[in-house]
Amino acid sequence: MNLLEVRELTTAFSARDGRTLRALNEVSFDLAEGEVLGIVGESGCGKSTLAKSVLRLIQSEQGSVCFHGQDVLQMNKAQLKRARRSMQIVFQDPFGSLNPRHTIGQIIREPLQVHGIGSTRDQQRRVDELLERVGLSADVQTRHAHEFSGGQRQRIAIARALALQPELLVADEAVSALDVSVQSQIINLITDLQAELGLSMLFISHDLSVIRHVSDRIAVMYLGRIVEIGEADALMNDPQHPYTRALISAIPSLAAQQAVRIVLHGELPDPSDPPEGCAFHTRCPQVHDECLRRRPELRAVVRDTLSIHSQAAHSSACHLNESTP
């Protein structure tokens, strides 16, 4: 059963010179209950905009985001406040997302106070429980965010996100600002909490090795669109889009025979003036004439190397994967 259904979601921004930048362009996907969907792509592909658009932290110009069958984009203020009890986010910067004037206890307790959940004693008990669950002691409650390391601050941010017992957790580059050793600790914490609490998650990162570790399915984004989506193992072992292959080839490996590195030349195109046809054709090593003329749609992949179950769940937006032009 799907917890979240996103359809044709489009989010645009107006530049100072009057141009319109489409950060998201007709993005569609489903998220099942208890599932982790990894979202990956280069900086500027629209990953963080997708996170904020799904939670309606920024306004989208078209599309729908149905949570338990109700469109978040059509909710009034009271309905949205109720829905947000079940949808929480952990931001990339654990320092910038924590109020420097509040103590840790106040930061974690605030969601409970805003939604009027429990008595003062109940709220205190919940704060103690959350700190223990994320690996911090209860005596940190009187301290402030600047007194902690980056990893500790992210644990505090996770505790705050879990305070309302959400069904959906969005992790927006939640480990990218941390040291590698600390990253693994926070990834393991998030993975354990997801399994323990049965959370559905959108896990956003530019690091495919991290995404593979935590995700049931993976969606690859390029210039505001999903260009490939499928089960994690199937996508990593048999990628169908040239962009996905390039990303996977960049993952460091200790294997004696590492796959040939696919180097993409150039930068992401300007989202205010995207190229005609396939947006990836300006960097694609397998470009052909059809790529310049027509934008490929996200279609189910049919490959002998994929199982029947994987084929049903695996889609790619590439002319090379189309059975007929």
Side-chain angles (χ1 to χ4, degrees), residues 204-231:
I204 295 169
S205 177
H206 62 273
D207 189 335
L208 252 177
S209 59
V210 172
I211 287 287
R212 182 178 194 174
H213 180 73
V214 303
S215 304
D216 299 306
R217 287 190 301 141
I218 298 173
V220 181
M221 291 190 67
Y222 188 82
L223 203 67
R225 294 181 183 272
I226 292 177
V227 296
E228 185 166 4
I229 185 169
E231 293 179 351

mmCIF file of all heavy atoms in Angstrom, residues 204-231:
data_model
loop_
_atom_site.group_PDB
_atom_site.id
_atom_site.type_symbol
_atom_site.label_atom_id
_atom_site.label_comp_id
_atom_site.label_asym_id
_atom_site.label_seq_id
_atom_site.Cartn_x
_atom_site.Cartn_y
_atom_site.Cartn_z
ATOM 1 N N ILE A 204 17.850 11.315 0.563
ATOM 2 C CA ILE A 204 18.426 12.091 -0.523
ATOM 3 C C ILE A 204 19.925 12.236 -0.321
ATOM 4 O O ILE A 204 20.386 12.587 0.774
ATOM 5 C CB ILE A 204 17.755 13.474 -0.593
ATOM 6 C CG1 ILE A 204 16.279 13.300 -0.970
ATOM 7 C CG2 ILE A 204 18.454 14.379 -1.586
ATOM 8 C CD1 ILE A 204 15.460 14.549 -0.806
ATOM 9 N N SER A 205 20.686 11.945 -1.372
ATOM 10 C CA SER A 205 22.140 12.053 -1.293
ATOM 11 C C SER A 205 22.716 12.134 -2.694
ATOM 12 O O SER A 205 22.084 11.711 -3.664
ATOM 13 C CB SER A 205 22.728 10.849 -0.547
ATOM 14 O OG SER A 205 24.143 10.902 -0.518
ATOM 15 N N HIS A 206 23.941 12.677 -2.789
ATOM 16 C CA HIS A 206 24.657 12.633 -4.070
ATOM 17 C C HIS A 206 25.607 11.445 -4.114
ATOM 18 O O HIS A 206 26.276 11.221 -5.124
ATOM 19 C CB HIS A 206 25.452 13.929 -4.270
ATOM 20 C CG HIS A 206 26.504 14.153 -3.222
ATOM 21 N ND1 HIS A 206 26.231 14.788 -2.021
ATOM 22 C CD2 HIS A 206 27.802 13.788 -3.161
ATOM 23 C CE1 HIS A 206 27.326 14.810 -1.294
ATOM 24 N NE2 HIS A 206 28.289 14.208 -1.950
ATOM 25 N N ASP A 207 25.654 10.680 -3.031
ATOM 26 C CA ASP A 207 26.586 9.560 -2.889
ATOM 27 C C ASP A 207 25.838 8.234 -3.108
ATOM 28 O O ASP A 207 25.073 7.794 -2.256
ATOM 29 C CB ASP A 207 27.216 9.596 -1.497
ATOM 30 C CG ASP A 207 28.358 8.606 -1.335
ATOM 31 O OD1 ASP A 207 28.382 7.599 -2.073
ATOM 32 O OD2 ASP A 207 29.224 8.835 -0.473
ATOM 33 N N LEU A 208 26.081 7.607 -4.245
ATOM 34 C CA LEU A 208 25.369 6.371 -4.582
ATOM 35 C C LEU A 208 25.718 5.220 -3.644
ATOM 36 O O LEU A 208 24.891 4.341 -3.399
ATOM 37 C CB LEU A 208 25.682 5.973 -6.016
ATOM 38 C CG LEU A 208 24.565 6.155 -7.044
ATOM 39 C CD1 LEU A 208 25.044 5.781 -8.427
ATOM 40 C CD2 LEU A 208 23.340 5.333 -6.674
ATOM 41 N N SER A 209 26.937 5.199 -3.114
ATOM 42 C CA SER A 209 27.302 4.114 -2.206
ATOM 43 C C SER A 209 26.495 4.196 -0.920
ATOM 44 O O SER A 209 26.098 3.173 -0.351
ATOM 45 C CB SER A 209 28.802 4.154 -1.902
ATOM 46 O OG SER A 209 29.176 5.388 -1.323
ATOM 47 N N VAL A 210 26.218 5.418 -0.450
ATOM 48 C CA VAL A 210 25.364 5.612 0.723
ATOM 49 C C VAL A 210 23.928 5.237 0.396
ATOM 50 O O VAL A 210 23.257 4.519 1.144
ATOM 51 C CB VAL A 210 25.436 7.072 1.209
ATOM 52 C CG1 VAL A 210 24.393 7.335 2.301
ATOM 53 C CG2 VAL A 210 26.831 7.392 1.735
ATOM 54 N N ILE A 211 23.453 5.701 -0.754
ATOM 55 C CA ILE A 211 22.084 5.417 -1.184
ATOM 56 C C ILE A 211 21.848 3.907 -1.283
ATOM 57 O O ILE A 211 20.817 3.387 -0.834
ATOM 58 C CB ILE A 211 21.818 6.079 -2.559
ATOM 59 C CG1 ILE A 211 21.675 7.603 -2.408
ATOM 60 C CG2 ILE A 211 20.573 5.495 -3.210
ATOM 61 C CD1 ILE A 211 20.392 8.059 -1.778
ATOM 62 N N ARG A 212 22.804 3.186 -1.841
ATOM 63 C CA ARG A 212 22.640 1.739 -2.000
ATOM 64 C C ARG A 212 22.521 1.047 -0.644
ATOM 65 O O ARG A 212 21.769 0.082 -0.493
ATOM 66 C CB ARG A 212 23.829 1.170 -2.775
ATOM 67 C CG ARG A 212 23.711 -0.328 -3.022
ATOM 68 C CD ARG A 212 24.873 -0.862 -3.826
ATOM 69 N NE ARG A 212 24.600 -2.199 -4.328
ATOM 70 C CZ ARG A 212 25.414 -2.859 -5.155
ATOM 71 N NH1 ARG A 212 26.534 -2.307 -5.556
ATOM 72 N NH2 ARG A 212 25.091 -4.070 -5.572
ATOM 73 N N HIS A 213 23.239 1.544 0.341
ATOM 74 C CA HIS A 213 23.265 0.915 1.659
ATOM 75 C C HIS A 213 21.915 0.999 2.365
ATOM 76 O O HIS A 213 21.536 0.081 3.095
ATOM 77 C CB HIS A 213 24.355 1.570 2.512
ATOM 78 C CG HIS A 213 24.479 0.997 3.885
ATOM 79 N ND1 HIS A 213 25.022 -0.254 4.125
ATOM 80 C CD2 HIS A 213 24.121 1.490 5.098
ATOM 81 C CE1 HIS A 213 24.992 -0.504 5.421
ATOM 82 N NE2 HIS A 213 24.459 0.541 6.033
ATOM 83 N N VAL A 214 21.189 2.099 2.152
ATOM 84 C CA VAL A 214 19.978 2.330 2.951
ATOM 85 C C VAL A 214 18.674 2.095 2.189
ATOM 86 O O VAL A 214 17.620 1.985 2.819
ATOM 87 C CB VAL A 214 19.968 3.767 3.529
ATOM 88 C CG1 VAL A 214 21.207 4.037 4.362
ATOM 89 C CG2 VAL A 214 19.856 4.817 2.420
ATOM 90 N N SER A 215 18.713 2.009 0.862
ATOM 91 C CA SER A 215 17.485 2.098 0.067
ATOM 92 C C SER A 215 16.941 0.755 -0.388
ATOM 93 O O SER A 215 17.687 -0.177 -0.681
ATOM 94 C CB SER A 215 17.723 2.974 -1.174
ATOM 95 O OG SER A 215 18.202 4.251 -0.814
ATOM 96 N N ASP A 216 15.612 0.678 -0.470
ATOM 97 C CA ASP A 216 14.936 -0.439 -1.125
ATOM 98 C C ASP A 216 14.865 -0.202 -2.625
ATOM 99 O O ASP A 216 15.050 -1.119 -3.426
ATOM 100 C CB ASP A 216 13.519 -0.603 -0.572
ATOM 101 C CG ASP A 216 13.515 -0.900 0.913
ATOM 102 O OD1 ASP A 216 14.195 -1.855 1.324
ATOM 103 O OD2 ASP A 216 12.836 -0.163 1.667
ATOM 104 N N ARG A 217 14.558 1.039 -3.002
ATOM 105 C CA ARG A 217 14.560 1.448 -4.408
ATOM 106 C C ARG A 217 15.378 2.729 -4.540
ATOM 107 O O ARG A 217 15.569 3.459 -3.568
ATOM 108 C CB ARG A 217 13.136 1.695 -4.927
ATOM 109 C CG ARG A 217 12.319 0.445 -5.140
ATOM 110 C CD ARG A 217 11.020 0.769 -5.879
ATOM 111 N NE ARG A 217 10.212 1.743 -5.147
ATOM 112 C CZ ARG A 217 9.528 2.731 -5.716
ATOM 113 N NH1 ARG A 217 9.549 2.890 -7.027
ATOM 114 N NH2 ARG A 217 8.802 3.544 -4.976
ATOM 115 N N ILE A 218 15.817 3.006 -5.769
ATOM 116 C CA ILE A 218 16.617 4.197 -6.042
ATOM 117 C C ILE A 218 16.015 4.946 -7.224
ATOM 118 O O ILE A 218 15.648 4.333 -8.229
ATOM 119 C CB ILE A 218 18.080 3.837 -6.354
ATOM 120 C CG1 ILE A 218 18.738 3.149 -5.153
ATOM 121 C CG2 ILE A 218 18.879 5.076 -6.745
ATOM 122 C CD1 ILE A 218 20.136 2.619 -5.442
ATOM 123 N N ALA A 219 15.914 6.269 -7.093
ATOM 124 C CA ALA A 219 15.503 7.124 -8.199
ATOM 125 C C ALA A 219 16.668 8.054 -8.541
ATOM 126 O O ALA A 219 17.223 8.708 -7.652
ATOM 127 C CB ALA A 219 14.271 7.946 -7.826
ATOM 128 N N VAL A 220 17.041 8.084 -9.805
ATOM 129 C CA VAL A 220 18.155 8.914 -10.269
ATOM 130 C C VAL A 220 17.574 10.158 -10.944
ATOM 131 O O VAL A 220 16.737 10.036 -11.852
ATOM 132 C CB VAL A 220 19.046 8.141 -11.257
ATOM 133 C CG1 VAL A 220 20.214 9.012 -11.724
ATOM 134 C CG2 VAL A 220 19.557 6.860 -10.609
ATOM 135 N N MET A 221 18.022 11.333 -10.504
ATOM 136 C CA MET A 221 17.493 12.588 -11.041
ATOM 137 C C MET A 221 18.536 13.300 -11.894
ATOM 138 O O MET A 221 19.735 13.267 -11.605
ATOM 139 C CB MET A 221 17.034 13.519 -9.916
ATOM 140 C CG MET A 221 15.807 13.056 -9.181
ATOM 141 S SD MET A 221 15.140 14.337 -8.073
ATOM 142 C CE MET A 221 14.584 15.572 -9.274
ATOM 143 N N TYR A 222 18.044 13.957 -12.957
ATOM 144 C CA TYR A 222 18.903 14.787 -13.793
ATOM 145 C C TYR A 222 18.094 15.976 -14.283
ATOM 146 O O TYR A 222 17.045 15.806 -14.909
ATOM 147 C CB TYR A 222 19.447 13.997 -14.991
ATOM 148 C CG TYR A 222 20.486 14.750 -15.791
ATOM 149 C CD1 TYR A 222 21.815 14.780 -15.363
ATOM 150 C CD2 TYR A 222 20.143 15.460 -16.939
ATOM 151 C CE1 TYR A 222 22.775 15.487 -16.087
ATOM 152 C CE2 TYR A 222 21.094 16.166 -17.660
ATOM 153 C CZ TYR A 222 22.411 16.178 -17.226
ATOM 154 O OH TYR A 222 23.362 16.875 -17.922
ATOM 155 N N LEU A 223 18.552 17.157 -13.973
ATOM 156 C CA LEU A 223 17.934 18.411 -14.414
ATOM 157 C C LEU A 223 16.428 18.445 -14.128
ATOM 158 O O LEU A 223 15.606 18.733 -15.000
ATOM 159 C CB LEU A 223 18.203 18.664 -15.896
ATOM 160 C CG LEU A 223 18.114 20.139 -16.331
ATOM 161 C CD1 LEU A 223 19.241 20.949 -15.702
ATOM 162 C CD2 LEU A 223 18.161 20.269 -17.844
ATOM 163 N N GLY A 224 16.055 18.098 -12.903
ATOM 164 C CA GLY A 224 14.673 18.237 -12.471
ATOM 165 C C GLY A 224 13.749 17.096 -12.814
ATOM 166 O O GLY A 224 12.551 17.168 -12.534
ATOM 167 N N ARG A 225 14.272 16.028 -13.414
ATOM 168 C CA ARG A 225 13.442 14.884 -13.769
ATOM 169 C C ARG A 225 14.061 13.587 -13.234
ATOM 170 O O ARG A 225 15.278 13.499 -13.046
ATOM 171 C CB ARG A 225 13.299 14.756 -15.291
ATOM 172 C CG ARG A 225 12.534 15.879 -15.958
ATOM 173 C CD ARG A 225 12.440 15.607 -17.463
ATOM 174 N NE ARG A 225 11.783 16.694 -18.176
ATOM 175 C CZ ARG A 225 10.460 16.783 -18.360
ATOM 176 N NH1 ARG A 225 9.667 15.831 -17.894
ATOM 177 N NH2 ARG A 225 9.933 17.796 -19.020
ATOM 178 N N ILE A 226 13.206 12.599 -13.017
ATOM 179 C CA ILE A 226 13.692 11.260 -12.723
ATOM 180 C C ILE A 226 14.000 10.573 -14.051
ATOM 181 O O ILE A 226 13.124 10.459 -14.917
ATOM 182 C CB ILE A 226 12.660 10.438 -11.928
ATOM 183 C CG1 ILE A 226 12.500 11.029 -10.518
ATOM 184 C CG2 ILE A 226 13.073 8.976 -11.838
ATOM 185 C CD1 ILE A 226 11.443 10.338 -9.671
ATOM 186 N N VAL A 227 15.260 10.125 -14.215
ATOM 187 C CA VAL A 227 15.647 9.487 -15.472
ATOM 188 C C VAL A 227 15.734 7.966 -15.343
ATOM 189 O O VAL A 227 15.772 7.252 -16.358
ATOM 190 C CB VAL A 227 16.987 10.046 -16.003
ATOM 191 C CG1 VAL A 227 16.839 11.524 -16.333
ATOM 192 C CG2 VAL A 227 18.112 9.829 -14.999
ATOM 193 N N GLU A 228 15.791 7.466 -14.110
ATOM 194 C CA GLU A 228 15.756 6.016 -13.900
ATOM 195 C C GLU A 228 15.299 5.741 -12.477
ATOM 196 O O GLU A 228 15.669 6.459 -11.537
ATOM 197 C CB GLU A 228 17.122 5.376 -14.139
ATOM 198 C CG GLU A 228 17.096 3.855 -14.045
ATOM 199 C CD GLU A 228 18.339 3.176 -14.610
ATOM 200 O OE1 GLU A 228 19.283 3.897 -15.028
ATOM 201 O OE2 GLU A 228 18.363 1.934 -14.647
ATOM 202 N N ILE A 229 14.488 4.718 -12.299
ATOM 203 C CA ILE A 229 14.018 4.327 -10.980
ATOM 204 C C ILE A 229 13.823 2.811 -10.965
ATOM 205 O O ILE A 229 13.329 2.229 -11.934
ATOM 206 C CB ILE A 229 12.709 5.064 -10.592
ATOM 207 C CG1 ILE A 229 12.293 4.729 -9.163
ATOM 208 C CG2 ILE A 229 11.596 4.787 -11.587
ATOM 209 C CD1 ILE A 229 11.160 5.621 -8.641
ATOM 210 N N GLY A 230 14.249 2.184 -9.884
ATOM 211 C CA GLY A 230 14.103 0.741 -9.791
ATOM 212 C C GLY A 230 14.595 0.210 -8.466
ATOM 213 O O GLY A 230 15.106 0.976 -7.620
ATOM 214 N N GLU A 231 14.451 -1.072 -8.258
ATOM 215 C CA GLU A 231 14.946 -1.710 -7.050
ATOM 216 C C GLU A 231 16.451 -1.490 -6.948
ATOM 217 O O GLU A 231 17.168 -1.507 -7.946
ATOM 218 C CB GLU A 231 14.618 -3.198 -7.058
ATOM 219 C CG GLU A 231 13.131 -3.484 -6.971
ATOM 220 C CD GLU A 231 12.833 -4.975 -7.014
ATOM 221 O OE1 GLU A 231 13.769 -5.764 -7.283
ATOM 222 O OE2 GLU A 231 11.676 -5.339 -6.758
#
